[in-house]
Amino acid sequence: MQLKPPQLSSHLASKLAPVYLVAGDEPLLIQEALDAIRAKARAEGYSEREVLDVERGFDWQRLADTCASLSLFASRRIVEVRMAAGPDDAGRKMLQQLARALPQDVLLLVVCGALDARARDAAWFKALDAAGVSLYVWAVKGREFSGWLETRLRDAGVRVDAEAVRLLAERTEGNLLAAAQDVAKLALLYPNRHVGVDELAQAVADSSRFEAFDLNDRVLDGDAAGAVRSLARLREEGAAPLEILGALMWSLRQLIRATLVYARTRDAAAACDSAGIRRFQQARYARALTRMRPGETMGWLRRAARIDRLVKTGQESAAWEELLTLILAASGAAPQTIR
């Protein structure tokens, strides 16, 4: 069964499918969909989660063995498979096999990045969809972005006039993580109050020109030491972790999109074009592509989500540490291990 992101909540309110395939072009919306599915699964008694990151040379028999093995600690388990792109031949066969005969105590969660039309029409994709639910998250652009913002604001209990919505859209378009953070900030600052342009301008940083992009360039260049110095300077100047994270993820999301294409084509210029990276910036991104692995880039999104949670739960010191680790990992100076 195919679902769109807005349909997921009502679906989960009524049932939990045995298989979910979540893929697409918007990392934030993918992460939120996964969080909702996992929360429903925990409520249904899936108390253990095993994660398999698929990289080149991955042994797909591991997936079959993991699904078939008995747990000493839980009767129901989530088995989560993460891929930057679609599976190889062995993976396609294994996923089709599991879709036909998945153990009752296992919830199979398959996570991918962007997939082209051919992959979405492939037998493995259709098999997972027939066995459970497929959710493809398209990029939110143009007028859709304004509508997404309005819905997000309304769900957060923030009343904003049309002009303020336009201003927020101008400052965050193409940067859903920054937009979501700004909506959350407005909900905290103006609970049950109407927000006009003046209040919004005071509350929301301009993500499109935030000076932390100097840090972004150092990360893309693989200059870990310089990136750490930039982070320290921004912290000394009073920048908040989420402001820095929002600006950083603007660049990293473009790099992630480019990495997924580069893994298939090995053509850096085409990958940068596909990711919407401007020509004058492409040389820097192209150099970064040569040291990236698709599997590790998806880990950046998980760490970014963790930083966001830490800040929102009052653990700002821990959030700074996680932000430092993210910067080191994206600079190529530290391995990405978070799950």
Side-chain angles (χ1 to χ4, degrees):
M1 177 174 62
Q2 294 184 8
L3 291 179
K4 296 179 180 179
Q7 299 172 314
L8 182 61
S9 294
S10 59
H11 160 78
L12 292 175
S14 61
K15 61 182 177 180
L16 184 69
V19 177
Y20 287 89
L21 168 59
V22 181
D25 305 308
E26 288 290 359
L28 173 68
L29 300 187
I30 289 174
Q31 186 62 51
E32 291 181 341
L34 294 175
D35 288 343
I37 294 168
R38 294 179 192 128
K40 174 67 172 179
R42 286 194 298 270
E44 295 287 331
Y46 289 85
S47 55
E48 186 174 319
R49 175 171 162 240
E50 299 188 48
V51 179
L52 300 175
D53 287 305
V54 176
E55 297 181 345
R56 184 176 297 179
F58 178 77
D59 180 4
W60 284 93
Q61 185 60 39
R62 284 181 57 199
L63 174 57
D65 293 343
T66 300
C67 290
S69 65
L70 297 175
S71 171
L72 297 175
F73 307 103
S75 60
R76 311 184 86 182
R77 296 172 296 136
I78 302 172
V79 176
E80 187 169 324
V81 184
R82 298 172 178 162
M83 297 178 283
D88 58 18
D89 288 342
R92 289 190 282 270
K93 292 177 182 176
M94 180 58 69
L95 291 171
Q96 288 177 253
Q97 177 183 324
L98 286 172
R100 291 191 297 266
L102 188 68
Q104 279 191 328
D105 62 344
V106 171
L107 170 66
L108 181 60
L109 184 53
V110 180
V111 186
C112 301
L115 299 173
D116 59 23
R118 183 176 179 181
R120 298 193 302 274
D121 196 44
W124 69 273
F125 191 105
K126 291 182 176 179
L128 294 174
D129 176 76
V133 168
S134 65
L135 181 79
Y136 197 87
V137 181
W138 296 98
V140 182
K141 299 179 179 178
R143 292 182 180 178
E144 290 181 356
F145 183 71
S146 294
W148 178 85
L149 261 183
E150 290 174 350
T151 300
R152 192 100 181 183
L153 288 160
R154 184 171 59 251
D155 291 346
V158 180
R159 291 176 292 142
V160 181
D161 60 34
E163 189 176 354
V165 172
R166 284 195 295 273
L167 176 61
L168 184 57
E170 288 174 3
R171 292 189 170 190
T172 59
E173 185 171 3
N175 189 347
L176 261 65
L177 180 60
Q181 291 166 350
D182 286 340
V183 170
K185 184 190 299 184
L186 290 169
L188 289 172
L189 292 174
Y190 303 107
N192 301 316
R193 287 175 53 190
H194 182 85
V195 180
V197 172
D198 292 340
E199 291 88 352
L200 187 142
Q202 291 175 8
V204 176
D206 189 340
S207 301
S208 67
R209 56 183 177 81
F210 187 63
E211 62 185 11
F213 278 104
D214 174 60
L215 178 144
N216 296 0
D217 289 346
R218 294 178 185 275
V219 169
L220 291 171
D221 291 339
D223 179 9
V228 170
R229 288 194 299 272
S230 292
L231 177 64
R233 185 173 63 251
L234 286 163
R235 186 175 184 180
E236 290 170 357
E237 292 173 355
L242 292 186
E243 291 176 326
I244 299 171
L245 180 66
L248 177 63
M249 292 309 297
W250 170 268
S251 293
L252 293 188
R253 274 194 303 274
Q254 288 186 307
L255 182 58
I256 289 168
R257 296 190 188 104
T259 302
L260 298 178
V261 177
Y262 183 71
R264 298 195 304 268
T265 65
R266 312 311 293 179
D267 185 333
C272 289
D273 283 338
S274 177
I277 298 168
R278 295 179 180 178
R279 290 297 174 90
F280 74 90
Q281 296 176 306
Q282 287 190 4
R284 175 171 273 123
Y285 280 83
R287 289 193 298 270
L289 285 175
T290 62
R291 59 180 172 82
M292 294 298 151
R293 294 180 300 162
E296 71 174 336
T297 60
M298 298 304 287
W300 299 342
L301 303 177
R302 297 191 291 274
R303 191 171 292 278
R306 182 173 179 178
I307 293 167
D308 184 66
R309 288 195 298 272
L310 287 170
V311 171
K312 291 176 181 177
T313 55
Q315 303 175 71
E316 187 161 309
S317 179
W320 280 110
E321 293 179 7
E322 288 292 321
L323 184 55
L324 173 60
T325 303
L326 171 60
I327 287 168
L328 289 172
S331 301
Q336 177 61 259
T337 58
I338 189 171
R339 290 186 173 184

